[in-house]
Amino acid sequence: MSTLITPHTDARMANIIEKVRGGERLNLEDGVYLYESNDLLTIGQLANEVNQRKNGNKVYFIENMSLYFTNVCESRCAFCNFRKDEGEEGAYTLSGQEMVQYVEQHIHPGVREFHIVGGHNDNVPFQYYVDSLSALNERFPEVTLKAYTAAEIDFFTRISGLSIREVLEQLRAAGLKTLTGGGAEILSDQYRKKMRVDKANVEEYLEVHRTAHHLGMKTHTTMLYGSIESREDRIRHMLQIRDLQDETGGFMVFIPLSMQPKNKNAGIMRRNSAYEDLKTIAVSRLMLDNFDHIKAYFINIGAQLTQVALSFGASDVHGTILKERISHAAGALTPEGLTREELIWLVKGAGRIPVERDTFYNEIKVYE
């Protein structure tokens, strides 16, 4: 085994190293200890070892577009600056054909995935959301529809009177192939109450993904960190996701999302530190032993830190995106998207091998 960068490791860290290298699962106390430790280099090296065993030097990305049919939302989550009320200045709700026209103006050859999320707009019926996917699927049948969060699916059950399974079946018939990971925030009902997360609770979020997995769908999942939650809250979040993955095996990737302040002029004390972002990626890699991939999301942490994250356990840099809106409606200072060439440069600059993938991590092209 490789020698640790920091040789003066205490007994507790040494025990965790032995567990990880021996294939033994880390528990809640281990995860909290890692978060409280200042030995970032050891944690990062250990996470890198785990990732190397799973993925070697390969780092994945996809050519995709982010689409937002509506920003009208009934929920008023404390951290969100994307939502609008119906009739408010800047509010919009696009029809399927309007979105098709937008895509026709902005799509470029090679796009393999539409990443679709939006507000919980109860001014339109559930059929609107079905028809939105149908319009895209009919016009762009070669592009995979990755659409809606688990919270949106739960919202659809409330406005339609259908079960989770029935909602998913109707959306799949319209072209849905996988769910996005958003809406998880922190999987703690206490946190969700304090942060006014007026949408799917913990059990509802997990049940949507469980149902999707039982239907044969592979999905994504996230964690939005950096506000009022404790480090133990973050580890408990990961453990709940890990338990569901043990049960279904349906998650493809875990995406830690660094909380953005509400405006671009916020000072550095209102943002997560690079130290915290790297530690979260590394701890995620160590705790989620049954996940193939941990994503470094450049939209929230920046391109340069994403490069560093590839040595701290991350194996995915998301995709081209083209024009991200939710984080940038808040205080994100990062690019709204990157080109294929920029992503390849980013990965190669970190000493890794870029791999263009499809939504389901099938390799399209390896850029040696």
Side-chain angles (χ1 to χ4, degrees), residues 62 64 113-115 144-150 176-184 205 208-210 212-213 217-223 241 244-245 250-255 291 293 295 316 318 357-361:
I62 188 170
N64 64 350
E113 174 188 281
F114 294 141
H115 180 110
T144 299
L145 299 186
K146 179 173 77 173
Y148 306 135
T149 66
L176 178 69
K177 293 298 190 294
T178 180
L179 300 181
T180 70
Y205 179 90
V208 168
H209 282 283
R210 178 181 289 110
H213 297 167
M217 300 176 70
K218 297 289 188 180
T219 67
H220 310 70
T221 190
T222 63
M223 178 180 75
I241 294 296
L244 183 55
Q245 182 76 331
F251 289 120
M252 295 182 286
V253 60
F254 179 74
I255 309 129
F291 275 68
H293 300 287
K295 183 177 292 186
D316 189 287
H318 195 59
R357 63 172 175 86
D358 68 8
T359 298
F360 304 101
Y361 286 86

Side-chain angles (χ1 to χ4, degrees), residues 214-335:
H214 288 164
L215 287 170
M217 300 176 70
K218 297 289 188 180
T219 67
H220 310 70
T221 190
T222 63
M223 178 180 75
L224 182 66
Y225 66 91
S227 59
I228 65 169
E229 83 281 354
S230 67
R231 287 163 171 171
E232 182 174 329
D233 287 335
R234 297 182 194 176
I235 298 300
R236 290 188 182 280
H237 178 110
M238 295 178 200
L239 293 179
Q240 291 179 87
I241 294 296
R242 190 173 76 180
D243 287 345
L244 183 55
Q245 182 76 331
D246 279 344
E247 178 187 334
T248 66
F251 289 120
M252 295 182 286
V253 60
F254 179 74
I255 309 129
L257 298 174
S258 186
M259 177 78 80
Q260 302 300 302
K262 280 222 170 181
N263 68 78
K264 297 181 186 298
N265 297 321
I268 62 171
M269 293 176 65
R270 300 294 302 275
R271 300 176 183 273
N272 286 320
S273 68
Y275 184 93
E276 192 75 5
D277 289 333
L278 288 176
K279 184 182 283 187
T280 298
I281 286 169
V283 171
S284 300
R285 178 63 286 168
L286 294 172
M287 294 302 299
L288 298 175
D289 51 51
N290 53 4
F291 275 68
D292 288 335
H293 300 287
I294 305 296
K295 183 177 292 186
Y297 189 49
F298 72 82
I299 288 292
N300 285 27
I301 67 173
Q304 286 89 347
L305 194 61
T306 292
Q307 285 185 304
V308 180
L310 301 182
S311 294
F312 281 72
S315 59
D316 189 287
V317 293
H318 195 59
T320 50
I321 301 176
L322 296 188
K323 189 173 178 62
E324 194 279 339
R325 294 186 187 177
I326 293 178
S327 292
H328 286 89
L333 301 175
T334 55

Side-chain angles (χ1 to χ4, degrees), residues 67-258:
L67 305 179
Y68 310 87
F69 275 90
T70 181
N71 63 352
V72 176
C73 190
E74 65 169 9
S75 298
R76 297 178 179 274
C77 303
F79 49 79
C80 183
N81 210 39
F82 173 75
R83 69 161 307 280
K84 300 287 185 183
D85 288 321
E86 178 78 3
E88 182 181 351
E89 183 179 356
Y92 64 86
T93 301
L94 302 180
S95 69
Q97 288 308 311
E98 287 173 325
M99 183 59 77
V100 165
Q101 292 170 10
Y102 171 85
V103 173
E104 287 175 338
Q105 293 169 6
H106 295 90
I107 197 170
H108 58 79
V111 168
R112 300 181 182 278
E113 174 188 281
F114 294 141
H115 180 110
I116 304 166
V117 294
H120 298 193
N121 187 346
D122 58 357
N123 297 283
V124 292
F126 171 56
Q127 191 62 41
Y128 162 83
Y129 297 94
V130 177
D131 293 343
S132 297
L133 295 190
S134 292
L136 285 173
N137 192 46
E138 290 171 9
R139 176 62 183 83
F140 306 100
E142 73 285 0
V143 180
T144 299
L145 299 186
K146 179 173 77 173
Y148 306 135
T149 66
E152 286 174 278
I153 300 299
D154 176 73
F155 166 70
F156 297 158
T157 67
R158 289 191 283 109
I159 64 173
S160 68
L162 301 173
S163 68
I164 294 171
R165 185 184 186 94
E166 290 168 335
V167 164
L168 288 171
E169 286 175 339
Q170 287 200 26
L171 293 172
R172 290 180 78 192
L176 178 69
K177 293 298 190 294
T178 180
L179 300 181
T180 70
E185 324 315 356
I186 294 292
L187 293 176
S188 157
D189 285 328
Q190 183 180 21
Y191 166 95
R192 297 169 98 76
K193 182 177 180 180
K194 288 182 178 179
M195 292 296 286
R196 305 197 308 273
V197 184
D198 187 22
K199 53 188 178 184
N201 63 28
V202 173
E203 272 308 309
E204 289 163 343
Y205 179 90
L206 295 172
E207 186 58 30
V208 168
H209 282 283
R210 178 181 289 110
T211 303
H213 297 167
H214 288 164
L215 287 170
M217 300 176 70
K218 297 289 188 180
T219 67
H220 310 70
T221 190
T222 63
M223 178 180 75
L224 182 66
Y225 66 91
S227 59
I228 65 169
E229 83 281 354
S230 67
R231 287 163 171 171
E232 182 174 329
D233 287 335
R234 297 182 194 176
I235 298 300
R236 290 188 182 280
H237 178 110
M238 295 178 200
L239 293 179
Q240 291 179 87
I241 294 296
R242 190 173 76 180
D243 287 345
L244 183 55
Q245 182 76 331
D246 279 344
E247 178 187 334
T248 66
F251 289 120
M252 295 182 286
V253 60
F254 179 74
I255 309 129
L257 298 174
S258 186

